[in-house]
Amino acid sequence: MEIFTFNKSLQERLVEYTGILSNREEIVSASQIRSEWSYHVEFVIEPVGWRALWKIPKLTCQDFQIHYPTIVAVVIQQVDFLELQALVKIVAVQEEIHLPEKYDVPLIELYPTQHQDDIALDMIATANCIDQLRFFYNYLWMPWDHDDDDNCDWTLSHLEPRLRLFFDMKRGSICKKTCDVIRTLMREGREIKEKISRLEVDISDDEDVHNASLDDGKACQLLKLHFRLQQIKTEMEVLENPAMRDVLIRNQSSSVMEIESKRRESGVKKIESYFVWLGGSLDETVSSLNQAKGFLPPDTFVKTSSCLKEALDVCDAGDIIILGRGDHPIRGSGNLEDGGMIKGVDSAEKTIICPKETESGPSLLDFSGREVILENLTIDLGDIQAGILVRKGTVKLDGCRIYTSNHSIIKIGIIVLPGAKLTAQNTTLVGLGTGIMIHAGGEANLSECHFEECIDGIQLQDDSKLTMTNSPLKNLKEYAIRMESGKYLNDCECKTGGTELLEKMSEISLEGCKFANNGKGDVFLKSRTTTSLLAKSEDMIS
């Protein structure tokens, strides 16, 4: 099913949005933006009878208990211009999933198809309008905008700076580190806004049911979320301003040059180690230090810290962090993103890395450098979607445990992106929607790994590589291996069966891996044509 795609320049986007949002020669405040879109959508979009693909978002997939991404074919039965959504009838799905026959869907989640039963429909204008709407709410509208002062003209204040920010990131004019900060802040802001909305509904329901005073715990959580959202707004306002952004980038560059200069002056830098210890008796402390001593080269320069987050922020790529037992909240990989080691001195069950409340991105650990080694650790996803994201280089796991107590079908233990490599041995993945996801061009070598209480074990794409030895794939709630393929399947085709479905795939090697008692089957293959088409159509900056 071919969809309409649009690739527009900054100037084209600027002219379009200026016409849509400021064509009546009066101030358009943030609270009026949605109304302006409603007027435009009602004027342009076909009201009924057109076909589209619905890319179901993560939280909706979670509500339906289906895997993300899931894409279904729909027919639009009615467009609600005021709410910017449509009532759709689901007419085709790729696999056996349970969805309502009809559903109200935000317009930005719909992708009109080029083939339509009614050729009189103006689908180019409809598809273009939805693309404008989707781009605006994905990249230009911020979750705090609606609370802005009504005396401020939103278009005049924010439209061009945010468009320039998007295109600067897309062109690579902004350094990777700053881009990562911006993406993380935007994602976190949207997640916090969603949490605030849900918490306010819960508090309102509690008051209606109990007719009592506000729950102190929920009130405190709500206050923290509002405070963090205000912090994000302040940071983003600085980054949105081109002049301020240039100052920050120049300052970062000069700081890096100064650090490099000092390193050259002091000669060859030795690897440093950080011993992170949350506290304990004298005997426990000495015992842990003796264990740490056995993990480090004799000439290692050692520093101590009581906080893993601080150690990650001050260490350099390639350094070693030795972690004492306990819970260690963090908000990212810090400087070990580009390589290094984190090793627990105790067992994985006693050494837990978890997300810091309201301050983590979509994955707990994000690596994009050379080689990262993780040993004797538990990765607790908490409320975030993924445990480890391997963007580049190699990540090695030994004796680790990745789990979530807050089970969800959309949660993923490890994601391996194109060109990256994962090596894992004696590692257990528990309670996840998908244990390991390997994208096209990614590679994973697994030895003696276990999957417990997961919905799917491993998800693959065409041209991803998987080597597994002595790793049982048993008792998965759905499939041991799920693969999306356009190479081995025809469009919209699906196959379910055993490992014989993988025999002709040279990219996959399974030795000593036993399959048994999997809920829907050992192997599930589904066509990836539609998913790939949508991925290419989206104008992403990540």
Side-chain angles (χ1 to χ4, degrees):
M1 298 182 199
E2 293 285 332
I3 63 171
F4 294 92
T5 59
F6 302 91
N7 185 19
K8 300 175 184 177
S9 67
L10 185 156
Q11 192 60 34
E12 287 172 321
R13 295 279 185 192
L14 182 59
V15 169
E16 287 179 347
Y17 291 132
T18 302
I20 294 167
L21 301 175
S22 59
N23 57 0
R24 295 187 303 187
E25 298 182 356
E26 61 183 40
I27 289 178
V28 178
S29 64
S31 61
Q32 292 176 282
I33 290 292
R34 191 176 182 87
S35 297
E36 296 298 322
W37 272 112
S38 295
Y39 299 144
H40 179 69
V41 166
E42 186 172 7
F43 181 72
V44 177
I45 287 182
E46 295 286 354
V48 67
W50 42 280
R51 290 181 172 270
L53 298 179
W54 175 27
K55 184 176 182 182
I56 305 177
K58 289 186 180 74
L59 290 178
T60 308
C61 285
Q62 179 173 285
D63 292 340
F64 287 149
Q65 286 298 294
I66 59 176
H67 283 275
Y68 176 83
T70 292
I71 297 162
V72 298
V74 300
V75 173
I76 281 63
Q77 297 198 319
Q78 180 182 349
V79 176
D80 185 336
F81 301 108
L82 188 62
E83 296 297 328
L84 301 177
Q85 65 183 23
L87 176 65
V88 305
K89 180 179 180 181
I90 297 170
V91 295
V93 297
Q94 275 193 290
E95 57 182 293
E96 186 181 342
I97 55 178
H98 300 289
L99 296 173
E101 182 182 358
K102 297 180 181 180
Y103 199 77
D104 287 317
V105 176
L107 289 172
I108 63 174
E109 296 172 11
L110 297 174
Y111 296 78
T113 58
Q114 294 186 18
H115 172 74
Q116 299 288 333
D117 295 335
D118 185 352
I119 60 174
L121 296 171
D122 187 355
M123 291 313 300
I124 294 179
T126 295
N128 183 54
C129 183
I130 292 176
D131 173 79
Q132 293 169 336
L133 187 68
R134 178 166 43 245
F135 185 98
F136 179 84
Y137 278 105
N138 281 348
Y139 303 121
L140 306 183
W141 182 258
M142 299 298 168
W144 49 83
D145 281 347
H146 195 273
D147 300 324
D148 276 355
D149 186 352
D150 276 354
N151 294 320
C152 173
D153 190 318
W154 186 96
T155 306
L156 188 63
S157 300
H158 298 298
L159 178 59
E160 187 169 352
R162 289 184 184 172
L163 272 170
R164 292 195 179 280
L165 176 62
F166 172 88
F167 280 94
D168 283 349
M169 292 174 69
K170 185 180 177 183
R171 288 191 291 256
S173 303
I174 302 175
C175 69
K176 178 184 177 299
K177 189 169 184 178
T178 303
C179 286
D180 289 344
V181 169
I182 293 169
R183 292 191 196 100
T184 299
L185 289 173
M186 290 176 65
R187 283 191 293 253
E188 187 185 347
R190 292 192 176 103
E191 288 171 4
I192 288 176
K193 188 66 174 178
E194 180 67 27
K195 289 178 182 177
I196 288 172
S197 298
R198 294 190 176 197
L199 195 57
E200 287 175 341
V201 170
D202 289 344
I203 290 172
S204 177
D205 290 344
D206 289 345
E207 288 183 320
D208 291 341
V209 172
H210 302 296
N211 193 26
S213 60
L214 192 64
D215 179 84
D216 287 345
K218 289 182 179 179
C220 183
Q221 186 181 357
L222 189 62
L223 188 63
K224 287 181 179 179
L225 289 170
H226 276 292
F227 181 67
R228 177 57 186 158
L229 190 61
Q230 186 61 40
Q231 286 180 314
I232 294 172
K233 176 184 177 182
T234 302
E235 291 181 60
M236 281 299 299
E237 284 175 345
V238 172
L239 293 166
E240 182 183 321
N241 184 308
M244 293 298 294
R245 193 164 66 241
D246 288 344
V247 170
L248 285 174
I249 292 171
R250 285 199 303 271
N251 184 61
Q252 287 173 352
S253 299
S254 61
S255 297
V256 170
M257 291 176 64
E258 183 180 346
I259 291 169
E260 290 299 321
S261 176
K262 287 182 178 178
R263 285 179 184 168
R264 284 194 296 269
E265 290 173 4
S266 61
V268 179
K269 177 185 178 296
K270 293 182 179 180
I271 293 176
E272 292 184 354
S273 174
Y274 293 80
F275 177 64
V276 180
W277 180 245
L278 300 181
S281 68
L282 181 59
D283 287 342
E284 290 171 334
T285 304
V286 171
S287 175
S288 294
L289 282 169
N290 284 330
Q291 286 179 279
K293 183 179 179 181
F295 301 150
L296 300 172
D299 60 344
T300 304
F301 184 78
V302 180
K303 300 178 182 179
T304 59
S305 175
S306 61
C307 177
L308 175 58
K309 179 181 176 297
E310 291 179 2
L312 289 169
D313 289 340
V314 300
C315 72
D316 291 324
D319 284 349
I320 301 170
I321 294 179
I322 304 299
L323 209 55
R325 68 173 181 271
D327 292 352
H328 300 271
I330 62 171
R331 61 174 301 180
S333 307
N335 293 326
L336 287 198
E337 176 185 342
D338 295 319
M341 173 188 282
I342 306 177
K343 185 177 179 106
V345 295
D346 217 314
S347 65
E349 289 75 11
K350 295 180 180 179
T351 312
I352 302 167
I353 298 177
C354 55
K356 187 173 177 62
E357 183 182 6
T358 76
E359 295 186 23
S360 295
S363 62
L364 182 58
L365 294 167
D366 189 327
F367 299 117
S368 58
R370 292 160 294 184
E371 181 178 272
V372 176
I373 299 173
L374 305 176
E375 294 185 13
N376 301 337
L377 304 171
T378 288
I379 310 296
D380 179 1
L381 274 63
D383 290 329
I384 61 178
Q385 185 196 349
I388 300 172
L389 179 59
V390 190
R391 294 183 185 272
K392 295 179 182 178
T394 300
V395 172
K396 295 182 177 181
L397 305 181
D398 189 0
C400 291
R401 182 172 179 262
I402 301 173
Y403 90 105
T404 176
S405 54
N406 183 10
H407 292 196
S408 169
I409 195 169
I410 66 171
K411 292 198 173 186
I412 305 167
I414 306 170
I415 301 173
V416 185
L417 295 185
K421 183 177 180 180
L422 168 71
T423 300
Q425 63 180 12
N426 190 28
T427 291
T428 304
L429 300 105
V430 184
L432 301 158
T434 301
I436 300 173
M437 178 182 287
I438 311 168
H439 286 258
E443 180 178 352
N445 296 321
L446 312 178
S447 174
E448 298 182 15
C449 292
H450 299 265
F451 300 81
E452 299 176 2
E453 300 178 32
C454 295
I455 295 174
D456 284 343
I458 299 170
Q459 183 167 326
L460 305 170
Q461 295 178 0
D462 283 334
D463 301 317
S464 58
K465 295 182 180 180
L466 171 65
T467 301
M468 290 185 69
T469 57
N470 301 323
S471 300
L473 287 159
K474 301 178 180 180
N475 304 315
L476 280 304
K477 295 179 182 178
E478 290 191 6
Y479 301 100
I481 295 178
R482 174 188 289 262
M483 183 171 183
E484 297 177 352
S485 175
K487 183 191 296 186
Y488 300 104
L489 295 174
N490 298 321
D491 191 15
C492 297
E493 185 182 7
C494 295
K495 292 182 181 179
T496 302
T499 54
E500 70 277 358
L501 294 175
L502 308 173
E503 287 177 355
K504 295 182 180 180
M505 302 181 188
S506 59
E507 310 97 320
I508 301 174
S509 172
L510 306 172
E511 295 183 11
C513 301
K514 295 182 179 180
F515 293 70
N517 196 33
N518 294 310
K520 291 187 176 180
D522 294 338
V523 178
F524 175 66
L525 305 182
K526 128 173 144 170
S527 171
R528 182 172 164 75
T529 306
T530 301
T531 309
S532 299
L533 197 63
L534 280 189
K536 290 177 183 176
S537 76
E538 293 184 305
D539 201 1
M540 300 298 289
I541 56 176
S542 57

